[in-house]
Amino acid sequence: VDIFANTFIIAGMLFAYNIQQQGRLKDYVLFGVMLGLGAACKISSLPFAGAAVIAACLHVLKKNDPLRRNFVLVSAVKGLSAAAVVSFLVFRIFQPYAFSGPGFFGIIPDSNWIANIREIGHQQSGEVDFPPALQWAHRTPVIFALKNMVVWGLGIPLGLAAWAGYFLVLWESIQKKKSRYALILFWVMAFFLWQSTNNTPAMRYQLPVYPFLALSASWLLHCLWQTARGMPRATLFK
């Protein structure tokens, strides 16, 4: 399910980025569609909803005029509400097993589905004796996941370039006090730390940050290429 969920999460990040930049209602709606599809594939995709909230906050904070900011704030609340409604409807359609039914409007959560989700949570947390989970015992938080990602998930050349590129983008954003990539930078670090400190730090759980790390690596390589040719290094911001 991780591959399918990741597809919708990454697509959702595109619309979240558009929310940060433009705040259009259609981007909120499309984000809600992707969130609902992602959650239908894997219920742990639900925290991804926070990306829209952060994007909306960044969009509102960009406005310096108080009257304009209040107007944008109201629009953001409407957009987030629309995203929530749409994501629920999409989830209701594509994950019918989560509801007791019998018709479309039977939206009471199914007790068996809830029990299954809780059981999986207990197995992953180590609260119950689950043999496949024994492999995660005595793993160093963050370090274990980072090593797996760099050595095996991305491969050493891409892995090192990806994280070096990430911190290059972060440094340039802080240095120039720009928030254009704040959403993506926050998403990568927050999601990585969340998954790498879990009791089950499986490498596939980090898939939602791989595309952005790959983009960071491409930026680093671009900068190195320009430096090698004796050209002024490009900047992320005009």
Side-chain angles (χ1 to χ4, degrees), residues 128-136:
V128 298
D129 188 14
F130 183 54
L134 296 180
Q135 63 179 304
W136 308 116

Side-chain angles (χ1 to χ4, degrees), residues 4-34:
F4 297 100
N6 194 44
T7 300
F8 299 122
I9 289 175
I10 300 307
M13 278 299 293
L14 170 63
F15 300 119
Y17 181 78
N18 289 342
I19 290 171
Q20 177 189 343
Q21 298 302 313
Q22 300 173 319
R24 299 175 299 187
L25 179 61
K26 72 173 185 178
D27 291 312
Y28 282 102
V29 172
L30 290 171
F31 177 89
V33 172
M34 296 305 156

Side-chain angles (χ1 to χ4, degrees), residues 30-43:
L30 290 171
F31 177 89
V33 172
M34 296 305 156
L35 175 61
L37 290 172
C41 294
K42 189 176 182 182
I43 194 63

Side-chain angles (χ1 to χ4, degrees), residues 154-172:
L154 293 168
I156 294 176
L158 178 57
L160 294 178
W163 281 107
Y166 171 84
F167 286 108
L168 175 64
V169 177
L170 178 63
W171 167 252
E172 190 165 343

Side-chain angles (χ1 to χ4, degrees), residues 113-173:
W113 185 81
I114 295 294
N116 289 338
I117 295 298
R118 287 177 177 172
E119 182 179 1
I120 293 172
H122 292 320
Q123 291 172 354
Q124 292 185 333
S125 66
E127 296 176 11
V128 298
D129 188 14
F130 183 54
L134 296 180
Q135 63 179 304
W136 308 116
H138 306 296
R139 302 296 189 183
T140 305
V142 180
I143 301 300
F144 176 78
L146 180 62
K147 179 181 177 181
N148 268 353
M149 175 186 286
V150 171
V151 176
W152 304 110
L154 293 168
I156 294 176
L158 178 57
L160 294 178
W163 281 107
Y166 171 84
F167 286 108
L168 175 64
V169 177
L170 178 63
W171 167 252
E172 190 165 343
S173 299

Side-chain angles (χ1 to χ4, degrees), residues 8 22 47 55 62 83 86-87 96 111 113 122 146 171 174 193 199 201 203 210 212 220 230:
F8 299 122
Q22 300 173 319
K62 286 196 307 182
V86 169
S87 63
S111 58
W113 185 81
H122 292 320
L146 180 62
W171 167 252
I174 294 174
L193 292 176
N199 190 67
M203 189 167 60
Y210 274 45
F212 306 106
L220 174 69

